[in-house]
Amino acid sequence: MTTKRRRRPARFLGSYGDADVEADVLRTDAILDGLARREPVASGADAAIRLLGALVADVESQRLSSVSITPST
Amino acid sequence: MTTCTIVAGIMPNVTEGRVADAATGVRLATRSDESDLRELTSLAVQGDRRAIESLLGHLRPMVVRYCRARLGRVSGHYHIADDVAQEVCIAVLSALPRYRDMGRPFASFVFGIASHKVADALRSSVRSAVPTQDLPDGPDEGPGPEETVVRYIEAQHARDLLSRLPDNQRELLILRVVSGLSAEETGNVLGMSPGAVRVAQHRALARLRQLAELESIA
């Protein structure tokens, strides 16, 4: 007998019953958190992580404009 | 194993400095800073100049990163993206006296403006003259031409793939990864719970991975 799993509506997402999927979600969160904190992240063969890392590095590579944002009045 | 490394360092100056020095300054605010930020916003709305300066000092680096990630380089530079970021800051500054705290974080208001400004820039696709930098007095200690080109190509590839994601997934990944917001902060901006952000970013990354793999096969 096969068990049919119903797809969960998006509003209920966030607490998975499936431990493997939940672990994957947390692993992804840890990787993205590392990128967000500008920490070294091992991308391995994961092209998506490597490309996001390259985008972050590129965005960070050029100096910010020296134009002041301080209001003059 | 490949490693994406971004050098850690000191907190950046708001008006000038390499964003890569911002390991501790990437985030808008930690959870404990949220009430301080709300208070800062309240003071800024009342016209307190120091509060305005401090608030924009928090927000501006993230707005710059967001605009750079969305708009990319023109002739090898981020002038257009940086100009749009500046416009966002000016728009925020102009709108401050009319801002009313409706319970959502101020960052949500700011990134709403940023999203519209970026969309305007993409629509008009104005390619104005790009000012060149002054000739340096000393040797350039930045990455060499080969490294620069490789990084540029990969970053552009990332932008191309991100542009093929649904709008909500693209916004989420850019805010979370490039602007450097936490799952909680991203959720505040997008009106999602942190749990929903974590699930949605997992799906967005899987989709991005799939697109990258399809391209490498094609």
Side-chain angles (χ1 to χ4, degrees):
Chain A
M1 198 170 87
T2 56
T3 310
K4 214 172 183 180
R5 294 184 66 179
R6 276 175 38 192
R7 187 189 170 95
R8 268 187 302 188
R11 65 180 181 278
F12 293 138
L13 292 176
S15 54
Y16 271 93
D18 186 333
D20 288 344
V21 177
E22 190 157 1
D24 283 347
V25 167
L26 293 177
R27 200 173 302 123
T28 298
D29 189 50
I31 292 169
L32 296 188
D33 219 34
L35 284 173
R37 290 172 185 271
R38 290 9 182 190
E39 290 167 356
V41 172
S43 63
D46 192 330
I49 298 297
R50 183 171 49 77
L51 290 174
L52 283 176
L55 180 60
V56 169
D58 191 60
V59 163
E60 304 287 359
S61 66
Q62 236 177 48
R63 296 178 76 81
L64 288 172
S65 162
S66 60
V67 178
S68 172
I69 58 168
T70 308
S72 57
T73 53
Chain B
M1 186 173 275
T2 315
T3 304
C4 309
T5 309
I6 298 152
V7 181
I10 55 167
M11 187 94 170
N13 184 313
V14 175
T15 54
E16 187 164 355
R18 195 173 288 277
V19 194
D21 295 338
T24 55
V26 166
R27 290 173 181 276
L28 168 64
T30 63
R31 184 169 278 279
S32 61
D33 289 337
E34 278 179 11
S35 59
D36 290 345
L37 200 61
R38 192 170 286 266
E39 197 179 319
L40 201 60
T41 305
S42 171
L43 287 170
V45 168
Q46 290 166 36
D48 185 312
R49 287 186 57 181
R50 280 191 179 180
I52 291 171
E53 194 172 343
S54 184
L55 185 66
L56 288 177
H58 273 298
L59 294 167
R60 187 172 179 275
M62 281 176 299
V63 172
V64 170
R65 290 183 183 102
Y66 175 85
C67 293
R68 286 181 176 187
R70 292 289 312 277
L71 293 169
R73 294 172 185 258
V74 175
S75 303
H77 296 281
Y78 276 124
H79 290 103
I80 302 286
D82 289 356
D83 283 351
V84 172
Q86 195 76 356
E87 282 179 30
V88 173
C89 290
I90 291 167
V92 168
L93 206 58
S94 308
L96 258 181
R98 299 187 302 279
Y99 175 77
R100 295 289 172 269
D101 187 351
M102 306 294 277
R104 293 189 72 185
F106 189 67
S108 170
F109 170 71
V110 173
F111 281 109
I113 292 175
S115 176
H116 283 110
K117 289 284 182 191
V118 165
D120 287 347
L122 287 171
R123 263 196 298 274
S124 60
S125 295
V126 176
R127 296 290 180 258
S128 53
V130 178
T132 55
Q133 290 175 340
D134 294 335
L135 285 173
D137 292 329
D140 185 358
E141 292 174 359
E146 189 180 338
E147 194 183 333
T148 303
V149 169
V150 168
R151 189 171 61 198
Y152 173 80
I153 290 171
E154 290 221 307
Q156 198 52 45
H157 190 191
R159 277 189 199 92
D160 291 344
L161 293 182
L162 282 169
S163 72
R164 286 154 60 185
L165 290 178
D167 288 355
N168 55 341
Q169 290 191 342
R170 185 189 59 237
E171 287 293 299
L172 192 152
L173 282 183
I174 288 177
L175 288 173
R176 179 80 174 93
V177 176
V178 184
S179 291
L181 304 189
S182 67
E184 286 77 8
E185 289 159 356
T186 306
N188 283 337
V189 171
L190 297 178
M192 300 164 75
S193 70
V197 167
R198 290 189 179 96
V199 173
Q201 72 189 10
H202 180 67
R203 288 184 176 161
L205 193 68
R207 179 72 187 133
L208 196 69
R209 195 175 290 130
Q210 196 179 32
L211 288 171
E213 281 169 9
L214 282 173
E215 248 188 21
S216 68
I217 294 167

